[in-house]
Amino acid sequence: MLVLGIESSCDETGIALYDSEAGLLSHALHSQVAMHAEYGGVVPELASRDHIRRVVPLLRDTLAQGNRSLDDVDAVAYTRGPGLAGALLVGCAFAEALALAIDKPIIPVHHLEGHLLSPLLSSTPPTFPFVALLVSGGHTQLMRVTGVGEYELLGETLDDAAGEAFDKSAKLLGLPYPGGALLSKLAESGTPGVYQLPRPMLHSGDLDFSFSGLKTAVLTLVREHADDMNDTFKADAARAFQEAIVEVLVKKSLKAMKLTGLKHLVVAGGVGANKQLRATLDDEARRKRFGVFYPELEFCTDNGAMIALAGCLRLQAGTPAKVAGSFAIQPRWPLSELMR
Ligand code: KG4
Ligand code: ZN
C-alpha cells in the first residue's frame, strides 16, 4: 500500500510517500522559519499563503524522487489537527482535491500521533509497547503506547510545553525565533552550575510537568543581569535553563519507565532533537538497562513522512478511510480523544 502524506499544521509544509512494504520512499519539506523570523513568531495568515505556494512543487519533487506517479498512490493522508486553522485547511483541501482526482480514499491524521510514531521511521525502530515522551512546541506528555491508536496518558504539562519554554526563554535571552535549537546550541558553550534555576514539579509524585515557573525564573535572571547581558552570561543562563528542563524531563521519564515496567522509551517531537536530553537519556538507559529510541533528527520537527507513516499504520490497523469530500480539520484536538 502506497500512502501520500501531507503536513501543513504550522510553519512547515511536508509531503512524503510511504510504502507499507518498502518503507519511506521519498519526502520533501519546506520550512517557513526564515519568513516568520522577521515577525518574531508564526504569522498564521502568512503561513497559510505559503503552504499554498509550496504544496504543488513539493508534491512534484516527492513523486519524482520516489519514482512514482499519482496513479500509484493508494490513499492520501493529511494532518487534520491540531494546528493553525488556515494552515490545516490548505493541506486538507489539497489532500481532498488529490484524492478526488485519483479516486482514492483519504485518511485524516492527528499531528501528535504522527510525532509519536515517527521513531518507527528510523533504521532501528522500537517495538510496542513503549513509553513515549512527546516533547514538541505545543505539547509535553508521557504516554503508554501499546499499539497504533492505543495510547494511555500518564502525565502532561499543566501550563507551557517544553518547546514553548525553550522558545520563550530563548526570546528572553535575545535569540531570534524560533529560539529552541539556538538556545540549545548556546548552552553548549555555557558553564554548568553558574546559575541555579528551579526544577518545577520534580518531586510532585506524579508524571505531570509545569514549565511556566522556569520561564519566569529566566525572566528574573535576565532582569538581574540587565546591565551585563554579555555572551558569557547568555551562554551560562542558557546552560542553566537546559540543565533544569532536561533534568525534569529525564527524571519524569525514568519514573514512567519504573511505574509501567516497560523496557522501551520513545522520545518524539522537536525537543527530542536536544543533544543534552539525548545524551542524558542514553546514559540512564544504559545504567537502567532499557532501550531508548528517537526519530531521525530530520523527523523530530514537523514533516510529511510521519503523517504518511501514521496514515499507513492507521489503515493497516483497520481505521476506516474516508471518501473525499468532507474537508475535515480540527485545529483543537486533544490526543486524549484518540485514546481508549
Ligand atoms: O515538534 P515540533 O515541530 O512542534 C510542534 O509540533 O508543536 O517542535 C518544535 C519545537 C520548538 O519549540 C523548537 O524550539 C523545539 O521544538 N526544538 C528544540 C530543539 N530543536 C527544536 N528544543 C530544544 N533543543 C533543540 N535542539
Ligand atoms: Zn509538530
Side-chain angles (χ1 to χ4, degrees), residues 34-318:
M35 183 180 77
H36 296 296
E38 233 181 283
Y39 305 90
V42 176
V43 184
E45 179 63 22
L46 294 184
S48 315
R49 291 175 189 215
D50 201 57
H51 286 307
I52 292 174
R53 278 192 289 272
R54 306 292 172 181
V55 279
V56 173
L58 287 173
L59 172 67
R60 289 202 175 117
D61 287 354
T62 307
L63 290 170
Q65 271 175 41
N67 205 14
R68 296 288 190 280
S69 79
L70 272 179
D71 293 336
D72 299 320
V73 171
D74 296 306
V76 182
Y78 73 98
T79 305
R80 172 177 175 153
L84 301 169
L88 289 168
L89 263 178
V90 176
C92 168
F94 188 53
E96 292 277 2
L98 281 176
L100 206 61
I102 59 177
D103 196 20
K104 290 289 158 59
I106 195 157
I107 177 102
V109 170
H110 193 294
H111 180 79
L112 294 181
E113 184 170 49
H115 276 302
L116 200 64
L117 299 173
S118 63
L120 298 175
L121 288 165
S122 75
S123 48
T124 48
T127 49
F128 297 114
F130 54 75
V131 167
L133 172 68
L134 182 65
V135 271
S136 70
H139 296 82
T140 300
Q141 297 178 327
L142 274 163
M143 267 167 289
R144 185 206 304 264
V145 179
T146 34
V148 174
E150 294 174 23
Y151 314 127
E152 181 197 343
L153 186 66
L154 301 171
E156 64 183 336
T157 183
L158 305 179
D159 41 55
D160 290 356
E164 194 180 354
F166 263 97
D167 294 338
K168 287 179 175 170
S169 299
K171 199 167 186 178
L172 291 171
L173 291 172
L175 300 174
Y177 157 89
L182 291 173
L183 184 149
S184 128
K185 189 95 199 94
L186 187 61
E188 283 174 26
S189 58
T191 309
V194 176
Y195 303 111
Q196 280 298 325
L197 292 175
R199 271 82 170 138
M201 295 187 70
L202 190 59
H203 303 294
S204 62
D206 54 24
L207 295 172
D208 287 336
F209 305 87
S210 161
F211 294 119
S212 72
L214 180 55
K215 172 197 64 193
T216 311
V218 174
L219 175 64
T220 308
L221 188 64
V222 165
R223 284 195 177 141
E224 285 166 3
H225 290 263
D227 298 330
D228 60 339
M229 280 264 288
N230 56 29
D231 290 349
T232 312
F233 164 75
K234 286 186 189 178
D236 292 343
R239 183 68 185 226
F241 168 82
Q242 187 167 275
E243 301 260 325
I245 200 160
V246 165
E247 185 177 337
V248 177
L249 292 173
V250 170
K251 291 257 165 78
K252 296 268 175 173
S253 301
L254 293 180
K255 194 173 167 94
M257 295 307 288
K258 199 169 166 194
L259 277 172
T260 57
L262 296 179
K263 290 287 167 214
H264 286 173
L265 173 68
V266 157
V267 183
V271 182
N274 188 272
K275 279 191 199 161
Q276 195 180 347
L277 177 65
R278 287 186 175 215
T280 317
L281 280 175
D282 286 344
D283 277 354
E284 292 291 350
R286 255 190 306 276
R287 282 195 327 115
K288 303 220 157 56
R289 294 174 190 281
F290 63 79
V292 57
F293 300 83
Y294 312 94
E296 305 289 345
L297 275 181
E298 62 179 330
F299 299 137
C300 271
T301 43
D302 295 348
N303 62 84
M306 67 184 193
I307 302 303
L309 167 79
C312 185
L313 293 178
R314 275 282 177 183
L315 290 171
Q316 286 180 320

